[in-house]
Amino acid sequence: MTPVCPFVKASRPDDAGSPRKSGDTGKILEVKKEATVAAKCPFGYDAQTFKLGPLSCMICQALLFETTKCVPCSHVYCRACVSRFKQCPLCGADIEGTEADTHLQSVVDRFIEGHARIKRSHIDAENGEEAVEENKKVIYEDVSMERGAFLVQQAMRAFRAQNLGSAKSRLSLCAEDIRGQIERMGNVSELCSQLGAVLGMLGDCCRSMGDAGSAITYFDESVEFLSKLPMDDSEITHTLSVSLNKVGDLKYYEEDLEAARSYYFRSLNVRREAMEHHPNVPSQCIDVATSLAKVADVDRNLGNEDAAIDGFREAIKLLKALKLKPEEAALEDRRLSVLEFLNNQLAEGTT
């Protein structure tokens, strides 16, 4: 499952990882009658743009991680990426050996750290022109959440290329940044939702690495953290329910069905409550139906056939009553997909 950036504005996802909605990020220090120049990375590593800069791995297209130099051609890549090749992907030369490039890696690490605080020049608030006086004031804008979006972007590129160590490293830095923001600003719902999402993404990385124990730890941490927050925020409730389902999935695959049902049922309750708070949000209805299907599936495996059939029927009733607008085609596809699964499960139980 590909992690989803919790900093990008988009539609809310289902458990399969569709884009999710989030607010703007970053906190700008207020200065009376003054403004700041918008943040922009000189190498092109901006959160909303794509560019392969001089510190990128040509294979995974993310920032270099565990930078490794090919011998004899000296081209550099991430260690995990180049280990899959016998010839250099850039020049085609046979790779006779590899060696760590600690100097270049230190440059990359310093570059990442540089995204934490970026120097801004003041501009004239009235006419929008940059001040030109020699002794002009300079502020330091706190852009750690811009850095968060940047780190998640790099992690997602690495994850898609199966450079999981790189993805996990960047997400760990991002989680650390958000924790620092929360310590300074308090439990702001947006920051809390983002931390929960990043912890879930770390769980996804560990699961893909075959480390189910660490994955459960990260998902549980996300659940524990988000469970302490008010449940009237749709972003927080959605992130919480997804993390609960992911732990349930891991328990299910471990054949710990009672534990799986417990997590699925907690997710179902969170989603029912969310639907009560936001009854006119179609995706909430589909979320509830999905959770009903998960609980019912476990009930069937536990031998509780009557409970399973009741759950499947309740979910089918919800989805059949849901009316979507023509422009909500993506939701309609998802509704039909879940409905097909439910109908198949119900038919299996009645034959």
Side-chain angles (χ1 to χ4, degrees):
M1 182 182 296
T2 302
V4 179
C5 177
F7 302 93
V8 177
K9 282 189 171 183
S11 60
R12 288 179 66 252
D14 57 16
D15 289 345
S18 306
R20 66 188 294 276
K21 182 179 179 181
S22 177
D24 293 334
T25 56
K27 175 175 170 56
I28 301 176
L29 300 178
E30 295 182 357
V31 182
K32 290 184 178 180
K33 297 183 180 180
E34 292 175 337
T36 57
V37 176
K40 189 170 180 64
C41 173
F43 284 140
Y45 293 101
D46 300 305
Q48 303 303 324
T49 60
F50 174 83
K51 179 179 179 180
L52 278 180
L55 305 180
S56 298
C57 171
M58 296 293 293
I59 300 173
C60 70
Q61 301 187 345
L63 283 174
L64 288 162
F65 177 72
E66 297 182 338
T67 306
T68 299
K69 183 187 298 183
C70 295
V71 178
C73 67
S74 295
H75 289 127
V76 292
Y77 307 95
C78 297
R79 181 167 64 88
C81 293
V82 74
S83 65
R84 303 194 292 264
F85 293 86
K86 294 183 178 180
Q87 288 85 32
C88 174
L90 191 60
C91 68
D94 289 339
I95 299 175
E96 298 176 7
T98 60
E99 58 185 41
D101 192 331
T102 55
H103 173 71
L104 182 54
Q105 186 60 56
S106 69
V107 173
V108 175
D109 294 340
R110 290 197 301 271
F111 175 76
I112 293 174
E113 185 60 32
H115 268 255
R117 299 189 72 82
I118 302 176
K119 190 173 181 179
R120 303 287 194 273
S121 297
H122 279 182
I123 61 173
D124 189 290
E126 294 183 0
N127 58 30
E129 294 179 358
E130 186 171 352
V132 294
E133 65 271 20
E134 187 172 342
N135 296 320
K136 63 185 178 183
K137 294 180 180 179
V138 173
I139 66 170
Y140 285 84
E141 181 180 330
D142 187 344
V143 294
S144 55
M145 294 311 295
E146 284 185 23
R147 165 177 147 110
F150 161 74
L151 287 168
V152 170
Q153 180 198 59
Q154 298 299 315
M156 292 173 74
R157 291 182 189 173
F159 188 94
R160 285 192 292 267
Q162 290 299 295
N163 189 353
L164 301 176
S166 175
K168 183 180 178 182
S169 173
R170 308 316 184 203
L171 290 170
S172 297
L173 286 175
C174 183
E176 183 181 337
D177 282 356
I178 304 173
R179 291 185 197 278
Q181 283 276 16
I182 291 174
E183 288 180 5
R184 293 191 296 273
M185 300 171 62
N187 288 337
V188 179
S189 62
E190 184 176 314
L191 296 178
C192 293
S193 178
Q194 288 171 350
L195 180 57
V198 170
L199 289 170
M201 294 165 73
L202 278 164
D204 287 331
C205 280
C206 291
R207 180 169 57 180
S208 296
M209 296 169 79
D211 187 356
S214 294
I216 290 175
T217 298
Y218 279 119
F219 291 139
D220 271 335
E221 185 180 0
S222 173
V223 167
E224 181 182 2
F225 182 74
L226 294 172
S227 296
K228 298 176 182 178
L229 303 174
M231 290 293 103
D232 56 352
D233 185 291
S234 60
E235 287 300 305
I236 289 176
T237 56
H238 181 74
T239 305
L240 173 59
S241 67
V242 169
S243 291
L244 285 165
N245 274 343
K246 287 180 177 178
V247 181
D249 290 342
L250 287 166
K251 295 294 184 180
Y252 184 91
Y253 297 135
E254 291 176 353
E255 299 185 355
D256 187 350
L257 298 181
E258 292 288 355
R261 190 187 190 283
S262 175
Y263 279 100
Y264 288 152
F265 192 72
R266 288 175 64 188
S267 177
L268 173 60
N269 285 337
V270 169
R271 289 178 167 183
R272 285 190 191 278
E273 186 175 346
M275 191 167 69
E276 290 178 4
H277 284 293
H278 307 280
N280 297 320
V281 179
S283 58
Q284 301 282 16
C285 177
I286 302 176
D287 283 347
V288 170
T290 300
S291 284
L292 282 166
K294 286 178 176 289
V295 173
D297 181 51
V298 176
D299 281 337
R300 170 169 286 169
N301 282 278
L302 288 170
N304 302 324
E305 187 64 23
D306 290 343
I309 290 176
D310 288 344
F312 290 136
R313 284 175 174 169
E314 182 183 353
I316 290 171
K317 184 178 179 180
L318 271 176
L319 294 179
K320 284 185 174 180
L322 180 61
K323 305 300 181 184
L324 296 172
K325 300 176 182 178
E327 60 269 24
E328 296 175 313
L331 281 178
E332 176 63 9
D333 289 343
R334 184 182 164 209
R335 185 188 75 89
L336 292 175
S337 176
V338 177
L339 190 58
E340 180 182 9
F341 171 81
L342 290 165
N343 283 321
N344 289 338
Q345 293 299 309
L346 187 60
E348 181 180 323
T350 55
T351 54

